[in-house]
Amino acid sequence: ASMWPKGFGVKLETITPFLGKYRPFVGRCCQTCTPKSWEALFHKNIAALGFHNVILVTEENTRYRGWLVRRLCYFLCAMDWKITLTPDAWEKVLGSKWIQEILSGRAPGGAGEGPKPSSLRRDVQHTLGQIQASIYPFLLRIFNWAFLKFLNCIFLNVQLHQGQLAMVRQAAQADTPLIFLSAHKSCLDGLLLPFLLLSQGLGVLRVAWEPQSYSPALRALLRHLGGLFMPPEANLFLDNPKGILSRAVLSAAVEQLLASKQPLLIFLEDRPGAVGPRLSSHGQAWLGLVLQAFREGAIPDAALVPVGIGYDLAPDVQHTGPRASSSHLGLWWGALAVFRGLRGHRGCARIDFAQPFSLQEYSVNTWSRGRSRGQSLEQLLLQTVLGHWSVLPDCEKQQEWTPASGPLLALDEEDQLLVSRLSRHVLSASIACSAVMATAVMAALLLHRHRELLENFSWLTEETLLRGFDVGFSGQLQDLVMHGLCLLHGSLSLWLLPQGDVLVLPRAGPTLAQLAYHSAALLPVFLCEAVGACAVRALLAGRVPPEGPWELQGVELLSQRELHRQTLLLLHLLPQDLLLLQPCQSSYFYCQEVLDRLIQCGLLIAEEAPGTRLTCDSGNWRFGEKMLWRSMEDFSDSDSDYEDGTDSRCFKLSQQLRCPDFFLFLCRLLSPLLTAFARAAAFLHQGKLPDTEAGYTQQLHQFLLKKAQEDGSFESTDLSQAHSAVMTFKDLGVLKEQPGSTGSTLHLSPAFTIQENREKLENFICQFICG
């Protein structure tokens, strides 16, 4: 029997997404932070322009016709692409304000403090050669011709929305440079996006690469293709002469590039397979250079374009999960990707451009609100975990895991804070506009052991579309299911049943990590509902047994105050890298959105609390002396008017047949990370401390693997989950970092040397986990 009906949720009309009759237009910019940009570059006809396969090149894409053209169409098309270069980059960099101050000795570390101007000129030229190199148009055309053939070997199609491209074209006509700020799903991203823009006539895209990920020979090739690399000396101390010179050359090069209106691509998400914060310190440093150029008046403004990327199966993510990715991109990676493509495991790719918005408008509106930095996780949550507080502080959480690099530290403190908020805001927009691929839907259904794949695949696709997210596929339902199963075949077992049907089961073992990796793409879609479901689970944990029937749990009344408190506790516990809440959105507002989503999807229904006036009775309500028309940011738990009204509302779990399975599905979306956190709490008395952060993370990872061998929970064994647990416990005050002669080491906090407090921490986390 099907676990979910096909039409779950509130439907205003019947939709058939597989026939292309309904698709949300994703990527609108924030109306709170950039209202003028929200109204610009968009009209209602954009959403109806449809999609285009950018790797489908025929003779119609060239100026010629004939049988020979059909065989050489890739090469002829590459020869026709427009390439516009800006010469004399060296002279412009040398004449910039930054370099002239060093040559004249006015800046620290300049010519007046040691080296001669001739020696400094050689150092400037050497540093500029580390950053960029001359672009050879013929090499660029030959490379993109070969890359086009390469893409056709590993992908069935690479889809791009024509309406999104039209917005980018319109923004490119303004007198401001385009800054593409992208998510990072594969090492292929930095090659795919420049190819896409060049093939669509938008010029040569300059890509800010991370030097540590690529071999020296490949870095030299990428520089001649338009790549930019940050010199290693730029991360030296602020008073180091070499660091000052490198940052000056880097700032001058970026100002020259932006002043010439060349588009720039920056990855705000860390590279795939990297263990650490999700926000890239390298990407934030480049974004800080763009902000610095704007502050110095080198450019009047910049158009920021969030970019979302989706792959059915990224070429550099192997069957054992993303951690199999190599730290260096080389020729073997390309050969392996082509071999996999020739074997028939070709997937689809989707690129999404969000609505461009103004850097100037965002910076002005951000500082006009003047929001504070907030409090640490230890100040907000530790006393509640230990049972000393029952009321949460009314304050936002301040959590910053991404270390600031040299170019970012050279900025003012206000600009550093602006870069941090902007990068989190844009990365959230990039993830929101990224399409959900067929492998993500299929992996989520298989990981949570759901039956009737055809019917549930259709249901989950429709629910994704109704929440404002797009999917990166279309076609016949049966073909889509077979396509997803084919790509995930390494993690599945297929059994032929006597009735002629096929039983699909995920393979027990480490291959479950791959399914968990793909299904994580659905978490941003259902994040609000998942947080709310786990909060409801925590409320019910102390009242009814987890194994109890759904009817028994549905009897319990859940007050809005309790739901708000449990949701806020979970929001504080979960890392900011997972939530990616936009800085313009408060935690209280997000808690209200969580409750609204639970009501909207039918999991919660309003119930009258005993002894209260009926909700439908609108007579004699006391509105209070305060104005009713207030900003959402002005509401708080201490508002007396609010307490008299909606805060006293109560809810019950819906008793509809579809609700138990949907509730379990939502809880399981967050279970892998929360399970890793709970096991990290249980590991506190077994871990060998003191130890370095990396060493203790490896200890915890081995413990997670050991527990997974016992109960099969391999979806909670990712190294990034272990790192998130260690970082969260540091912020919470469970682990203390102490400096030493050989570096900083972690020590267990004195409060958690007591077994009772360790059990309180574990129980606090376990209340949000649903089995």
Side-chain angles (χ1 to χ4, degrees):
S2 173
M3 299 184 72
W4 290 328
K6 185 175 181 180
F8 180 79
V10 178
K11 300 290 194 305
L12 298 181
E13 59 181 359
T14 302
I15 63 172
T16 52
F18 302 116
L19 300 178
K21 294 183 178 180
Y22 173 84
R23 278 188 186 273
F25 187 79
V26 297
R28 296 299 301 273
C29 63
C30 180
Q31 195 173 10
T32 301
C33 300
T34 53
K36 294 181 180 178
S37 299
W38 190 84
E39 297 176 355
L41 305 177
F42 180 81
H43 55 84
K44 60 181 181 181
N45 297 327
I46 281 182
L49 292 181
F51 292 87
H52 170 58
N53 182 11
V54 296
I55 63 174
L56 180 61
V57 177
T58 63
E59 62 176 332
E60 296 182 358
N61 299 103
T62 68
R63 296 176 294 170
Y64 312 99
R65 297 294 183 270
W67 66 270
L68 183 60
V69 175
R70 286 192 290 272
R71 286 156 179 79
L72 299 177
C73 57
Y74 287 4
F75 180 78
L76 294 175
C77 187
M79 293 299 109
D80 283 343
W81 289 338
K82 182 181 179 182
I83 299 178
T84 303
L85 302 178
T86 55
D88 302 326
W90 158 246
E91 286 78 7
K92 292 181 179 179
V93 170
L94 191 62
S96 68
K97 179 193 71 173
W98 304 97
I99 306 302
Q100 289 301 316
E101 287 182 353
I102 291 181
L103 292 176
S104 62
R106 296 193 301 270
E113 299 184 8
K116 297 181 180 180
S118 59
S119 175
L120 282 175
R121 290 174 65 94
R122 288 194 299 269
D123 291 342
V124 169
Q125 191 169 10
H126 172 72
T127 304
L128 185 61
Q130 291 181 305
I131 298 172
Q132 62 185 13
S134 300
I135 298 177
Y136 299 141
F138 183 74
L139 175 63
L140 190 60
R141 296 182 191 277
I142 291 297
F143 178 84
N144 281 279
W145 163 71
F147 189 65
L148 177 59
K149 299 178 72 66
F150 170 77
L151 290 176
N152 279 277
C153 289
I154 63 175
F155 291 122
L156 294 172
N157 54 67
V158 178
Q159 296 292 334
L160 175 66
H161 197 285
Q162 296 281 46
Q164 297 172 352
L165 184 61
M167 291 193 301
V168 175
R169 290 184 189 276
Q170 188 175 352
Q173 297 175 0
D175 191 30
T176 55
L178 288 175
I179 311 297
F180 293 90
L181 303 172
S182 175
H184 207 359
K185 302 299 178 63
S186 166
C187 294
L188 193 68
D189 301 342
L191 301 175
L192 178 59
L193 290 172
F195 162 80
L196 188 149
L197 292 182
L198 183 61
S199 65
Q200 301 302 313
L202 290 173
V204 180
L205 179 63
R206 311 302 296 270
V207 183
W209 295 95
E210 188 171 358
Q212 293 81 5
S213 303
Y214 307 96
S215 61
L218 191 53
R219 286 202 298 267
L221 173 63
L222 293 175
R223 286 192 190 96
H224 289 294
L225 297 175
L228 302 173
F229 290 89
M230 188 174 294
E233 294 82 5
N235 291 314
L236 296 177
F237 292 109
L238 297 181
D239 56 352
N240 188 289
K242 291 185 178 180
I244 293 173
L245 177 63
S246 295
R247 287 188 290 271
V249 176
L250 185 60
S251 299
V254 171
E255 287 186 3
Q256 181 271 331
L257 184 145
L258 297 179
S260 59
K261 307 298 184 295
Q262 298 182 60
L264 175 64
L265 171 63
I266 300 173
F267 292 108
L268 289 181
E269 193 174 17
D270 208 352
R271 67 184 187 277
V275 179
R278 188 174 187 177
L279 272 172
S280 169
S281 60
H282 181 263
Q284 284 191 334
W286 281 98
L287 184 58
L289 292 169
V290 174
L291 179 62
Q292 184 183 55
F294 166 68
R295 296 291 197 201
E296 295 292 332
I299 52 175
D301 196 2
L304 306 182
V305 186
V307 182
I309 304 176
Y311 296 102
D312 268 332
L313 196 63
D316 54 333
V317 178
Q318 308 303 322
H319 292 298
T320 54
R323 303 297 158 198
S325 301
S326 174
S327 59
H328 292 281
L329 178 64
L331 293 178
W332 70 268
W333 170 82
L336 178 62
V338 173
F339 176 72
R340 288 176 57 192
L342 294 177
R343 287 181 58 195
H345 307 310
R346 294 194 299 164
C348 303
R350 167 80 176 270
I351 308 296
D352 288 280
F353 294 127
Q355 185 179 9
F357 64 93
S358 166
L359 173 61
Q360 179 186 23
E361 183 184 12
Y362 180 86
S363 60
V364 171
N365 291 339
T366 297
W367 289 119
S368 65
R369 287 193 296 271
R371 292 186 57 184
S372 62
R373 281 181 172 269
Q375 294 183 359
S376 66
L377 182 61
E378 182 177 358
Q379 295 172 316
L380 291 174
L381 201 58
L382 180 60
Q383 299 302 319
T384 303
V385 171
L386 297 178
H388 299 160
W389 287 355
S390 59
V391 179
L392 290 176
D394 186 13
C395 187
E396 296 295 320
K397 179 177 69 172
Q398 175 64 28
Q399 188 177 63
E400 188 61 56
W401 289 357
T402 305
S405 57
L408 188 60
L409 290 173
L411 300 179
D412 297 336
E413 185 178 356
E414 291 184 352
D415 286 345
Q416 292 181 33
L417 181 58
L418 178 60
V419 169
S420 175
R421 291 180 175 178
L422 176 59
S423 57
R424 194 173 299 279
H425 199 293
V426 174
L427 183 57
S428 175
S430 298
I431 299 299
C433 74
S434 298
V436 176
M437 308 304 290
T439 50
V441 177
M442 183 58 60
L445 295 176
L446 293 170
L447 188 64
H448 304 304
R449 299 176 179 85
H450 296 304
R451 303 177 181 179
E452 298 291 343
L453 288 179
L454 287 175
E455 186 171 358
N456 287 329
F457 190 97
S458 174
W459 168 85
L460 199 51
T461 300
E462 292 184 1
E463 291 297 323
T464 300
L465 295 172
L466 286 173
R467 283 163 174 79
F469 288 76
D470 202 0
V471 293
F473 53 85
S474 62
Q476 296 294 325
L477 177 59
Q478 187 171 0
D479 295 337
L480 291 170
V481 172
M482 292 300 297
H483 173 71
L485 293 177
C486 179
L487 292 175
L488 298 175
H489 75 284
S491 304
L492 308 176
S493 297
L494 303 180
W495 301 82
L496 183 62
L497 300 179
Q499 298 85 357
D501 205 348
V502 177
L503 177 64
V504 184
L505 295 175
R507 292 183 180 178
T511 53
L512 285 175
Q514 187 195 16
L515 294 180
Y517 170 73
H518 288 294
S519 66
L522 278 174
L523 184 55
V525 180
F526 297 95
L527 183 59
C528 270
E529 292 91 335
V531 170
C534 290
V536 172
R537 171 68 184 88
L539 281 178
L540 295 174
R543 304 182 184 181
V544 295
E547 304 82 8
W550 182 261
E551 292 78 7
L552 181 61
Q553 300 184 34
V555 174
E556 296 294 327
L557 281 178
L558 308 173
S559 71
Q560 180 164 337
R561 181 185 293 277
E562 293 174 325
L563 285 170
H564 181 277
R565 182 178 183 275
Q566 291 296 330
T567 303
L568 196 58
L569 286 173
L570 184 55
L571 287 179
H572 288 335
L573 177 65
L574 293 175
Q576 288 280 21
D577 282 2
L578 174 71
L579 297 171
L580 285 180
L581 297 183
Q582 294 183 349
C584 60
Q585 185 179 28
S586 67
S587 298
Y588 178 82
F589 182 81
Y590 191 81
C591 290
Q592 290 297 115
E593 185 179 358
V594 167
L595 181 59
D596 292 342
R597 290 286 189 93
L598 291 179
I599 298 173
Q600 193 175 27
C601 70
L603 282 178
L604 290 182
I605 56 176
E607 185 74 16
E608 304 298 340
T612 60
R613 184 166 57 250
L614 297 178
T615 303
C616 58
D617 182 10
S618 59
N620 298 325
W621 282 101
R622 184 176 65 86
F623 292 106
E625 298 178 357
K626 296 185 179 181
M627 295 179 61
L628 295 179
W629 297 102
R630 293 175 294 178
S631 171
M632 287 300 298
E633 302 291 340
D634 294 337
F635 285 97
S636 63
D637 289 340
S638 60
D639 196 332
S640 60
D641 294 338
Y642 182 70
E643 291 176 357
D644 291 338
T646 58
D647 196 39
S648 60
R649 289 190 300 174
C650 292
F651 301 92
K652 282 185 178 181
L653 288 174
S654 174
Q655 296 299 310
Q656 299 182 31
L657 293 178
R658 59 180 176 261
C659 289
D661 301 311
F662 185 53
F663 181 82
L664 186 62
F665 168 76
L666 294 175
C667 290
R668 283 179 173 174
L669 288 176
L670 288 174
S671 288
L673 181 63
L674 292 174
T675 301
F677 279 21
R679 290 178 176 175
F683 180 68
L684 288 175
H685 73 283
Q686 302 181 28
K688 298 179 181 179
L689 291 173
D691 196 358
T692 62
E693 181 182 310
Y696 188 74
T697 301
Q698 288 294 337
Q699 288 187 50
L700 177 58
H701 185 230
Q702 293 302 317
F703 178 76
L704 295 178
L705 289 173
K706 179 182 176 182
K707 297 294 291 185
Q709 294 289 345
E710 297 174 0
D711 58 10
S713 57
F714 288 94
E715 63 272 14
S716 300
T717 59
D718 195 89
L719 188 57
S720 65
Q721 295 172 340
H723 178 267
S724 296
V726 172
M727 296 295 293
T728 301
F729 283 7
K730 281 177 56 180
D731 293 345
L732 189 57
V734 178
L735 298 173
K736 297 291 185 178
E737 191 171 22
Q738 296 182 1
S741 58
T742 59
S744 299
T745 56
L746 295 180
H747 297 256
L748 188 62
S749 172
F752 287 91
T753 57
I754 305 173
Q755 182 180 358
E756 181 184 1
N757 289 339
R758 294 197 300 267
E759 292 177 352
K760 287 181 179 180
L761 175 62
E762 186 177 0
N763 293 334
F764 174 80
I765 300 173
C766 288
Q767 67 177 335
F768 298 106
I769 303 175
C770 188

